Amino acid sequence: MAIIKRPPHDDGPVNAGEQRLLRFLSRNLPDNFYIIPNCNIAITGPNRIMKYWEYDCLVVTPHALYHIENKDWAGNLEGDDYAWFRNGQEVANPHKTAGLKSRILASKIKNQHPDWNFGQIITLVTLSHPQQSKFGLDLSLIHISEPTRLGMIS
């Protein structure tokens, strides 16, 4: 069972989908993996304005750091690299924002801890609602706990 490390001032999962994701990961990942749910990271932009980026879930493993963006979307989901549709209505492609958040996190870690060799940040988007038309949480578990099986890490 993975270890959950809650950040300071954490009020817990934001919604039922994040709770399902947290419960699923904590039960199914190995004991030496750490789960950090609902983490906020502050970044100062070029105009000196502070912006907070919310991360649904970070998983620290011996081989990588995973950033998981979770969507609790029910119904029919369709999409590609450019557009996603939920029950026929276009929604923002979560991979774009999740990728940006992962790059921000990598930059923050490298700037504050240049001596850390943390490997890579792998971005995943999970779909946790039990009534949706695509893959659920099972494939994310394979990505995290068995990365060589999917050719992600040699």
mmCIF file with all atom_site columns, all heavy atoms in Angstrom, residues 7-30:
data_model
loop_
_atom_site.group_PDB
_atom_site.id
_atom_site.type_symbol
_atom_site.label_atom_id
_atom_site.label_alt_id
_atom_site.label_comp_id
_atom_site.label_asym_id
_atom_site.label_entity_id
_atom_site.label_seq_id
_atom_site.pdbx_PDB_ins_code
_atom_site.Cartn_x
_atom_site.Cartn_y
_atom_site.Cartn_z
_atom_site.occupancy
_atom_site.B_iso_or_equiv
_atom_site.pdbx_formal_charge
_atom_site.auth_seq_id
_atom_site.auth_comp_id
_atom_site.auth_asym_id
_atom_site.auth_atom_id
_atom_site.pdbx_PDB_model_num
ATOM 1   N N   . PRO A 1 7  ? 0.040   17.549 1.694   1.00 0.00 ? 7  PRO A N   1
ATOM 2   C CA  . PRO A 1 7  ? 0.740   18.826 1.832   1.00 0.00 ? 7  PRO A CA  1
ATOM 3   C C   . PRO A 1 7  ? 0.136   19.658 2.960   1.00 0.00 ? 7  PRO A C   1
ATOM 4   O O   . PRO A 1 7  ? -1.012  19.432 3.356   1.00 0.00 ? 7  PRO A O   1
ATOM 5   C CB  . PRO A 1 7  ? 0.531   19.508 0.478   1.00 0.00 ? 7  PRO A CB  1
ATOM 6   C CG  . PRO A 1 7  ? -0.479  18.720 -0.248  1.00 0.00 ? 7  PRO A CG  1
ATOM 7   C CD  . PRO A 1 7  ? -0.685  17.420 0.457   1.00 0.00 ? 7  PRO A CD  1
ATOM 8   N N   . PRO A 1 8  ? 0.908   20.627 3.484   1.00 0.00 ? 8  PRO A N   1
ATOM 9   C CA  . PRO A 1 8  ? 0.344   21.520 4.512   1.00 0.00 ? 8  PRO A CA  1
ATOM 10  C C   . PRO A 1 8  ? -0.892  22.238 3.968   1.00 0.00 ? 8  PRO A C   1
ATOM 11  O O   . PRO A 1 8  ? -0.965  22.536 2.784   1.00 0.00 ? 8  PRO A O   1
ATOM 12  C CB  . PRO A 1 8  ? 1.463   22.518 4.785   1.00 0.00 ? 8  PRO A CB  1
ATOM 13  C CG  . PRO A 1 8  ? 2.698   21.910 4.220   1.00 0.00 ? 8  PRO A CG  1
ATOM 14  C CD  . PRO A 1 8  ? 2.281   20.968 3.145   1.00 0.00 ? 8  PRO A CD  1
ATOM 15  N N   . HIS A 1 9  ? -1.827  22.483 4.816   1.00 0.00 ? 9  HIS A N   1
ATOM 16  C CA  . HIS A 1 9  ? -3.063  23.210 4.478   1.00 0.00 ? 9  HIS A CA  1
ATOM 17  C C   . HIS A 1 9  ? -3.917  22.446 3.477   1.00 0.00 ? 9  HIS A C   1
ATOM 18  O O   . HIS A 1 9  ? -4.695  23.035 2.746   1.00 0.00 ? 9  HIS A O   1
ATOM 19  C CB  . HIS A 1 9  ? -2.768  24.616 3.946   1.00 0.00 ? 9  HIS A CB  1
ATOM 20  C CG  . HIS A 1 9  ? -1.787  25.366 4.767   1.00 0.00 ? 9  HIS A CG  1
ATOM 21  N ND1 . HIS A 1 9  ? -2.069  25.785 6.038   1.00 0.00 ? 9  HIS A ND1 1
ATOM 22  C CD2 . HIS A 1 9  ? -0.512  25.743 4.523   1.00 0.00 ? 9  HIS A CD2 1
ATOM 23  C CE1 . HIS A 1 9  ? -1.009  26.402 6.543   1.00 0.00 ? 9  HIS A CE1 1
ATOM 24  N NE2 . HIS A 1 9  ? -0.043  26.384 5.638   1.00 0.00 ? 9  HIS A NE2 1
ATOM 25  N N   . ASP A 1 10 ? -3.771  21.125 3.423   1.00 0.00 ? 10 ASP A N   1
ATOM 26  C CA  . ASP A 1 10 ? -4.539  20.303 2.498   1.00 0.00 ? 10 ASP A CA  1
ATOM 27  C C   . ASP A 1 10 ? -5.906  20.010 3.099   1.00 0.00 ? 10 ASP A C   1
ATOM 28  O O   . ASP A 1 10 ? -6.004  19.566 4.239   1.00 0.00 ? 10 ASP A O   1
ATOM 29  C CB  . ASP A 1 10 ? -3.792  18.993 2.224   1.00 0.00 ? 10 ASP A CB  1
ATOM 30  C CG  . ASP A 1 10 ? -4.616  18.021 1.412   1.00 0.00 ? 10 ASP A CG  1
ATOM 31  O OD1 . ASP A 1 10 ? -5.266  18.452 0.441   1.00 0.00 ? 10 ASP A OD1 1
ATOM 32  O OD2 . ASP A 1 10 ? -4.627  16.826 1.756   1.00 0.00 ? 10 ASP A OD2 1
ATOM 33  N N   . ASP A 1 11 ? -6.943  20.268 2.323   1.00 0.00 ? 11 ASP A N   1
ATOM 34  C CA  . ASP A 1 11 ? -8.304  19.978 2.762   1.00 0.00 ? 11 ASP A CA  1
ATOM 35  C C   . ASP A 1 11 ? -8.806  18.643 2.224   1.00 0.00 ? 11 ASP A C   1
ATOM 36  O O   . ASP A 1 11 ? -9.981  18.325 2.330   1.00 0.00 ? 11 ASP A O   1
ATOM 37  C CB  . ASP A 1 11 ? -9.258  21.090 2.318   1.00 0.00 ? 11 ASP A CB  1
ATOM 38  C CG  . ASP A 1 11 ? -8.951  22.411 2.998   1.00 0.00 ? 11 ASP A CG  1
ATOM 39  O OD1 . ASP A 1 11 ? -8.474  22.380 4.150   1.00 0.00 ? 11 ASP A OD1 1
ATOM 40  O OD2 . ASP A 1 11 ? -9.173  23.458 2.368   1.00 0.00 ? 11 ASP A OD2 1
ATOM 41  N N   . GLY A 1 12 ? -7.928  17.883 1.596   1.00 0.00 ? 12 GLY A N   1
ATOM 42  C CA  . GLY A 1 12 ? -8.319  16.598 1.026   1.00 0.00 ? 12 GLY A CA  1
ATOM 43  C C   . GLY A 1 12 ? -8.708  16.744 -0.430  1.00 0.00 ? 12 GLY A C   1
ATOM 44  O O   . GLY A 1 12 ? -8.635  17.821 -1.014  1.00 0.00 ? 12 GLY A O   1
ATOM 45  N N   . PRO A 1 13 ? -9.139  15.628 -1.036  1.00 0.00 ? 13 PRO A N   1
ATOM 46  C CA  . PRO A 1 13 ? -9.513  15.652 -2.450  1.00 0.00 ? 13 PRO A CA  1
ATOM 47  C C   . PRO A 1 13 ? -10.615 16.668 -2.717  1.00 0.00 ? 13 PRO A C   1
ATOM 48  O O   . PRO A 1 13 ? -11.515 16.863 -1.904  1.00 0.00 ? 13 PRO A O   1
ATOM 49  C CB  . PRO A 1 13 ? -10.004 14.225 -2.705  1.00 0.00 ? 13 PRO A CB  1
ATOM 50  C CG  . PRO A 1 13 ? -9.327  13.403 -1.654  1.00 0.00 ? 13 PRO A CG  1
ATOM 51  C CD  . PRO A 1 13 ? -9.223  14.303 -0.456  1.00 0.00 ? 13 PRO A CD  1
ATOM 52  N N   . VAL A 1 14 ? -10.515 17.295 -3.883  1.00 0.00 ? 14 VAL A N   1
ATOM 53  C CA  . VAL A 1 14 ? -11.457 18.354 -4.250  1.00 0.00 ? 14 VAL A CA  1
ATOM 54  C C   . VAL A 1 14 ? -12.827 17.795 -4.622  1.00 0.00 ? 14 VAL A C   1
ATOM 55  O O   . VAL A 1 14 ? -13.846 18.430 -4.404  1.00 0.00 ? 14 VAL A O   1
ATOM 56  C CB  . VAL A 1 14 ? -10.874 19.190 -5.420  1.00 0.00 ? 14 VAL A CB  1
ATOM 57  C CG1 . VAL A 1 14 ? -11.865 20.193 -5.944  1.00 0.00 ? 14 VAL A CG1 1
ATOM 58  C CG2 . VAL A 1 14 ? -9.604  19.880 -4.976  1.00 0.00 ? 14 VAL A CG2 1
ATOM 59  N N   . ASN A 1 15 ? -12.851 16.589 -5.197  1.00 0.00 ? 15 ASN A N   1
ATOM 60  C CA  . ASN A 1 15 ? -14.124 16.017 -5.628  1.00 0.00 ? 15 ASN A CA  1
ATOM 61  C C   . ASN A 1 15 ? -14.102 14.496 -5.465  1.00 0.00 ? 15 ASN A C   1
ATOM 62  O O   . ASN A 1 15 ? -13.075 13.913 -5.107  1.00 0.00 ? 15 ASN A O   1
ATOM 63  C CB  . ASN A 1 15 ? -14.459 16.431 -7.066  1.00 0.00 ? 15 ASN A CB  1
ATOM 64  C CG  . ASN A 1 15 ? -13.387 16.008 -8.050  1.00 0.00 ? 15 ASN A CG  1
ATOM 65  O OD1 . ASN A 1 15 ? -12.875 14.888 -7.984  1.00 0.00 ? 15 ASN A OD1 1
ATOM 66  N ND2 . ASN A 1 15 ? -13.038 16.888 -8.967  1.00 0.00 ? 15 ASN A ND2 1
ATOM 67  N N   . ALA A 1 16 ? -15.228 13.875 -5.754  1.00 0.00 ? 16 ALA A N   1
ATOM 68  C CA  . ALA A 1 16 ? -15.349 12.417 -5.592  1.00 0.00 ? 16 ALA A CA  1
ATOM 69  C C   . ALA A 1 16 ? -14.391 11.673 -6.517  1.00 0.00 ? 16 ALA A C   1
ATOM 70  O O   . ALA A 1 16 ? -13.873 10.617 -6.161  1.00 0.00 ? 16 ALA A O   1
ATOM 71  C CB  . ALA A 1 16 ? -16.791 11.982 -5.852  1.00 0.00 ? 16 ALA A CB  1
ATOM 72  N N   . GLY A 1 17 ? -14.124 12.210 -7.700  1.00 0.00 ? 17 GLY A N   1
ATOM 73  C CA  . GLY A 1 17 ? -13.206 11.568 -8.628  1.00 0.00 ? 17 GLY A CA  1
ATOM 74  C C   . GLY A 1 17 ? -11.784 11.527 -8.096  1.00 0.00 ? 17 GLY A C   1
ATOM 75  O O   . GLY A 1 17 ? -11.091 10.511 -8.218  1.00 0.00 ? 17 GLY A O   1
ATOM 76  N N   . GLU A 1 18 ? -11.348 12.619 -7.498  1.00 0.00 ? 18 GLU A N   1
ATOM 77  C CA  . GLU A 1 18 ? -10.012 12.638 -6.908  1.00 0.00 ? 18 GLU A CA  1
ATOM 78  C C   . GLU A 1 18 ? -9.942  11.693 -5.711  1.00 0.00 ? 18 GLU A C   1
ATOM 79  O O   . GLU A 1 18 ? -8.901  11.064 -5.477  1.00 0.00 ? 18 GLU A O   1
ATOM 80  C CB  . GLU A 1 18 ? -9.617  14.062 -6.519  1.00 0.00 ? 18 GLU A CB  1
ATOM 81  C CG  . GLU A 1 18 ? -9.332  14.930 -7.718  1.00 0.00 ? 18 GLU A CG  1
ATOM 82  C CD  . GLU A 1 18 ? -8.902  16.344 -7.369  1.00 0.00 ? 18 GLU A CD  1
ATOM 83  O OE1 . GLU A 1 18 ? -8.490  16.583 -6.213  1.00 0.00 ? 18 GLU A OE1 1
ATOM 84  O OE2 . GLU A 1 18 ? -8.974  17.205 -8.255  1.00 0.00 ? 18 GLU A OE2 1
ATOM 85  N N   . GLN A 1 19 ? -11.028 11.562 -4.969  1.00 0.00 ? 19 GLN A N   1
ATOM 86  C CA  . GLN A 1 19 ? -11.065 10.614 -3.857  1.00 0.00 ? 19 GLN A CA  1
ATOM 87  C C   . GLN A 1 19 ? -10.953 9.190  -4.381  1.00 0.00 ? 19 GLN A C   1
ATOM 88  O O   . GLN A 1 19 ? -10.226 8.369  -3.818  1.00 0.00 ? 19 GLN A O   1
ATOM 89  C CB  . GLN A 1 19 ? -12.357 10.783 -3.040  1.00 0.00 ? 19 GLN A CB  1
ATOM 90  C CG  . GLN A 1 19 ? -12.465 9.833  -1.867  1.00 0.00 ? 19 GLN A CG  1
ATOM 91  C CD  . GLN A 1 19 ? -11.343 10.016 -0.857  1.00 0.00 ? 19 GLN A CD  1
ATOM 92  O OE1 . GLN A 1 19 ? -11.010 11.120 -0.477  1.00 0.00 ? 19 GLN A OE1 1
ATOM 93  N NE2 . GLN A 1 19 ? -10.731 8.925  -0.440  1.00 0.00 ? 19 GLN A NE2 1
ATOM 94  N N   . ARG A 1 20 ? -11.674 8.870  -5.481  1.00 0.00 ? 20 ARG A N   1
ATOM 95  C CA  . ARG A 1 20 ? -11.580 7.536  -6.073  1.00 0.00 ? 20 ARG A CA  1
ATOM 96  C C   . ARG A 1 20 ? -10.150 7.253  -6.545  1.00 0.00 ? 20 ARG A C   1
ATOM 97  O O   . ARG A 1 20 ? -9.616  6.158  -6.341  1.00 0.00 ? 20 ARG A O   1
ATOM 98  C CB  . ARG A 1 20 ? -12.548 7.394  -7.254  1.00 0.00 ? 20 ARG A CB  1
ATOM 99  C CG  . ARG A 1 20 ? -13.972 7.078  -6.853  1.00 0.00 ? 20 ARG A CG  1
ATOM 100 C CD  . ARG A 1 20 ? -14.834 6.707  -8.048  1.00 0.00 ? 20 ARG A CD  1
ATOM 101 N NE  . ARG A 1 20 ? -15.075 7.809  -8.952  1.00 0.00 ? 20 ARG A NE  1
ATOM 102 C CZ  . ARG A 1 20 ? -16.020 8.735  -8.791  1.00 0.00 ? 20 ARG A CZ  1
ATOM 103 N NH1 . ARG A 1 20 ? -16.830 8.680  -7.740  1.00 0.00 ? 20 ARG A NH1 1
ATOM 104 N NH2 . ARG A 1 20 ? -16.166 9.706  -9.661  1.00 0.00 ? 20 ARG A NH2 1
ATOM 105 N N   . LEU A 1 21 ? -9.521  8.241  -7.186  1.00 0.00 ? 21 LEU A N   1
ATOM 106 C CA  . LEU A 1 21 ? -8.143  8.083  -7.658  1.00 0.00 ? 21 LEU A CA  1
ATOM 107 C C   . LEU A 1 21 ? -7.197  7.829  -6.489  1.00 0.00 ? 21 LEU A C   1
ATOM 108 O O   . LEU A 1 21 ? -6.384  6.898  -6.530  1.00 0.00 ? 21 LEU A O   1
ATOM 109 C CB  . LEU A 1 21 ? -7.691  9.326  -8.434  1.00 0.00 ? 21 LEU A CB  1
ATOM 110 C CG  . LEU A 1 21 ? -6.222  9.356  -8.844  1.00 0.00 ? 21 LEU A CG  1
ATOM 111 C CD1 . LEU A 1 21 ? -5.907  8.255  -9.848  1.00 0.00 ? 21 LEU A CD1 1
ATOM 112 C CD2 . LEU A 1 21 ? -5.866  10.728 -9.405  1.00 0.00 ? 21 LEU A CD2 1
ATOM 113 N N   . LEU A 1 22 ? -7.296  8.624  -5.445  1.00 0.00 ? 22 LEU A N   1
ATOM 114 C CA  . LEU A 1 22 ? -6.425  8.487  -4.278  1.00 0.00 ? 22 LEU A CA  1
ATOM 115 C C   . LEU A 1 22 ? -6.593  7.116  -3.621  1.00 0.00 ? 22 LEU A C   1
ATOM 116 O O   . LEU A 1 22 ? -5.618  6.439  -3.302  1.00 0.00 ? 22 LEU A O   1
ATOM 117 C CB  . LEU A 1 22 ? -6.718  9.609  -3.281  1.00 0.00 ? 22 LEU A CB  1
ATOM 118 C CG  . LEU A 1 22 ? -5.858  9.678  -2.039  1.00 0.00 ? 22 LEU A CG  1
ATOM 119 C CD1 . LEU A 1 22 ? -4.390  9.856  -2.386  1.00 0.00 ? 22 LEU A CD1 1
ATOM 120 C CD2 . LEU A 1 22 ? -6.337  10.827 -1.153  1.00 0.00 ? 22 LEU A CD2 1
ATOM 121 N N   . ARG A 1 23 ? -7.826  6.702  -3.455  1.00 0.00 ? 23 ARG A N   1
ATOM 122 C CA  . ARG A 1 23 ? -8.106  5.396  -2.852  1.00 0.00 ? 23 ARG A CA  1
ATOM 123 C C   . ARG A 1 23 ? -7.538  4.268  -3.731  1.00 0.00 ? 23 ARG A C   1
ATOM 124 O O   . ARG A 1 23 ? -6.884  3.341  -3.242  1.00 0.00 ? 23 ARG A O   1
ATOM 125 C CB  . ARG A 1 23 ? -9.611  5.227  -2.646  1.00 0.00 ? 23 ARG A CB  1
ATOM 126 C CG  . ARG A 1 23 ? -10.008 3.988  -1.896  1.00 0.00 ? 23 ARG A CG  1
ATOM 127 C CD  . ARG A 1 23 ? -11.502 3.918  -1.553  1.00 0.00 ? 23 ARG A CD  1
ATOM 128 N NE  . ARG A 1 23 ? -12.388 4.411  -2.591  1.00 0.00 ? 23 ARG A NE  1
ATOM 129 C CZ  . ARG A 1 23 ? -13.127 5.537  -2.480  1.00 0.00 ? 23 ARG A CZ  1
ATOM 130 N NH1 . ARG A 1 23 ? -13.080 6.273  -1.399  1.00 0.00 ? 23 ARG A NH1 1
ATOM 131 N NH2 . ARG A 1 23 ? -13.919 5.907  -3.462  1.00 0.00 ? 23 ARG A NH2 1
ATOM 132 N N   . PHE A 1 24 ? -7.754  4.366  -5.042  1.00 0.00 ? 24 PHE A N   1
ATOM 133 C CA  . PHE A 1 24 ? -7.267  3.350  -5.977  1.00 0.00 ? 24 PHE A CA  1
ATOM 134 C C   . PHE A 1 24 ? -5.738  3.255  -5.951  1.00 0.00 ? 24 PHE A C   1
ATOM 135 O O   . PHE A 1 24 ? -5.175  2.159  -5.850  1.00 0.00 ? 24 PHE A O   1
ATOM 136 C CB  . PHE A 1 24 ? -7.752  3.688  -7.396  1.00 0.00 ? 24 PHE A CB  1
ATOM 137 C CG  . PHE A 1 24 ? -7.277  2.731  -8.441  1.00 0.00 ? 24 PHE A CG  1
ATOM 138 C CD1 . PHE A 1 24 ? -7.935  1.531  -8.653  1.00 0.00 ? 24 PHE A CD1 1
ATOM 139 C CD2 . PHE A 1 24 ? -6.169  3.026  -9.217  1.00 0.00 ? 24 PHE A CD2 1
ATOM 140 C CE1 . PHE A 1 24 ? -7.491  0.638  -9.622  1.00 0.00 ? 24 PHE A CE1 1
ATOM 141 C CE2 . PHE A 1 24 ? -5.721  2.138  -10.183 1.00 0.00 ? 24 PHE A CE2 1
ATOM 142 C CZ  . PHE A 1 24 ? -6.387  0.943  -10.382 1.00 0.00 ? 24 PHE A CZ  1
ATOM 143 N N   . LEU A 1 25 ? -5.059  4.386  -6.031  1.00 0.00 ? 25 LEU A N   1
ATOM 144 C CA  . LEU A 1 25 ? -3.591  4.380  -6.054  1.00 0.00 ? 25 LEU A CA  1
ATOM 145 C C   . LEU A 1 25 ? -3.020  3.883  -4.729  1.00 0.00 ? 25 LEU A C   1
ATOM 146 O O   . LEU A 1 25 ? -2.088  3.078  -4.705  1.00 0.00 ? 25 LEU A O   1
ATOM 147 C CB  . LEU A 1 25 ? -3.051  5.771  -6.374  1.00 0.00 ? 25 LEU A CB  1
ATOM 148 C CG  . LEU A 1 25 ? -3.326  6.296  -7.780  1.00 0.00 ? 25 LEU A CG  1
ATOM 149 C CD1 . LEU A 1 25 ? -2.837  7.727  -7.903  1.00 0.00 ? 25 LEU A CD1 1
ATOM 150 C CD2 . LEU A 1 25 ? -2.697  5.404  -8.841  1.00 0.00 ? 25 LEU A CD2 1
ATOM 151 N N   . SER A 1 26 ? -3.563  4.365  -3.618  1.00 0.00 ? 26 SER A N   1
ATOM 152 C CA  . SER A 1 26 ? -3.012  3.972  -2.315  1.00 0.00 ? 26 SER A CA  1
ATOM 153 C C   . SER A 1 26 ? -3.169  2.474  -2.073  1.00 0.00 ? 26 SER A C   1
ATOM 154 O O   . SER A 1 26 ? -2.304  1.851  -1.457  1.00 0.00 ? 26 SER A O   1
ATOM 155 C CB  . SER A 1 26 ? -3.641  4.780  -1.180  1.00 0.00 ? 26 SER A CB  1
ATOM 156 O OG  . SER A 1 26 ? -5.007  4.478  -1.047  1.00 0.00 ? 26 SER A OG  1
ATOM 157 N N   . ARG A 1 27 ? -4.222  1.875  -2.561  1.00 0.00 ? 27 ARG A N   1
ATOM 158 C CA  . ARG A 1 27 ? -4.451  0.439  -2.370  1.00 0.00 ? 27 ARG A CA  1
ATOM 159 C C   . ARG A 1 27 ? -3.593  -0.415 -3.309  1.00 0.00 ? 27 ARG A C   1
ATOM 160 O O   . ARG A 1 27 ? -3.277  -1.552 -2.976  1.00 0.00 ? 27 ARG A O   1
ATOM 161 C CB  . ARG A 1 27 ? -5.915  0.096  -2.609  1.00 0.00 ? 27 ARG A CB  1
ATOM 162 C CG  . ARG A 1 27 ? -6.829  0.575  -1.517  1.00 0.00 ? 27 ARG A CG  1
ATOM 163 C CD  . ARG A 1 27 ? -8.255  0.193  -1.825  1.00 0.00 ? 27 ARG A CD  1
ATOM 164 N NE  . ARG A 1 27 ? -9.147  0.700  -0.803  1.00 0.00 ? 27 ARG A NE  1
ATOM 165 C CZ  . ARG A 1 27 ? -10.465 0.768  -0.938  1.00 0.00 ? 27 ARG A CZ  1
ATOM 166 N NH1 . ARG A 1 27 ? -11.044 0.357  -2.048  1.00 0.00 ? 27 ARG A NH1 1
ATOM 167 N NH2 . ARG A 1 27 ? -11.205 1.243  0.031   1.00 0.00 ? 27 ARG A NH2 1
ATOM 168 N N   . ASN A 1 28 ? -3.278  0.112  -4.486  1.00 0.00 ? 28 ASN A N   1
ATOM 169 C CA  . ASN A 1 28 ? -2.680  -0.719 -5.527  1.00 0.00 ? 28 ASN A CA  1
ATOM 170 C C   . ASN A 1 28 ? -1.204  -0.480 -5.809  1.00 0.00 ? 28 ASN A C   1
ATOM 171 O O   . ASN A 1 28 ? -0.577  -1.296 -6.492  1.00 0.00 ? 28 ASN A O   1
ATOM 172 C CB  . ASN A 1 28 ? -3.473  -0.572 -6.826  1.00 0.00 ? 28 ASN A CB  1
ATOM 173 C CG  . ASN A 1 28 ? -4.845  -1.193 -6.713  1.00 0.00 ? 28 ASN A CG  1
ATOM 174 O OD1 . ASN A 1 28 ? -4.983  -2.400 -6.669  1.00 0.00 ? 28 ASN A OD1 1
ATOM 175 N ND2 . ASN A 1 28 ? -5.864  -0.351 -6.620  1.00 0.00 ? 28 ASN A ND2 1
ATOM 176 N N   . LEU A 1 29 ? -0.646  0.612  -5.335  1.00 0.00 ? 29 LEU A N   1
ATOM 177 C CA  . LEU A 1 29 ? 0.769   0.876  -5.579  1.00 0.00 ? 29 LEU A CA  1
ATOM 178 C C   . LEU A 1 29 ? 1.625   0.310  -4.447  1.00 0.00 ? 29 LEU A C   1
ATOM 179 O O   . LEU A 1 29 ? 1.155   0.166  -3.317  1.00 0.00 ? 29 LEU A O   1
ATOM 180 C CB  . LEU A 1 29 ? 1.012   2.382  -5.736  1.00 0.00 ? 29 LEU A CB  1
ATOM 181 C CG  . LEU A 1 29 ? 0.434   3.011  -7.011  1.00 0.00 ? 29 LEU A CG  1
ATOM 182 C CD1 . LEU A 1 29 ? 0.652   4.523  -6.998  1.00 0.00 ? 29 LEU A CD1 1
ATOM 183 C CD2 . LEU A 1 29 ? 1.033   2.387  -8.257  1.00 0.00 ? 29 LEU A CD2 1
ATOM 184 N N   . PRO A 1 30 ? 2.895   0.015  -4.718  1.00 0.00 ? 30 PRO A N   1
ATOM 185 C CA  . PRO A 1 30 ? 3.782   -0.583 -3.702  1.00 0.00 ? 30 PRO A CA  1
ATOM 186 C C   . PRO A 1 30 ? 4.056   0.342  -2.512  1.00 0.00 ? 30 PRO A C   1
ATOM 187 O O   . PRO A 1 30 ? 3.867   1.555  -2.582  1.00 0.00 ? 30 PRO A O   1
ATOM 188 C CB  . PRO A 1 30 ? 5.078   -0.848 -4.469  1.00 0.00 ? 30 PRO A CB  1
ATOM 189 C CG  . PRO A 1 30 ? 4.726   -0.803 -5.902  1.00 0.00 ? 30 PRO A CG  1
ATOM 190 C CD  . PRO A 1 30 ? 3.532   0.088  -6.030  1.00 0.00 ? 30 PRO A CD  1
#
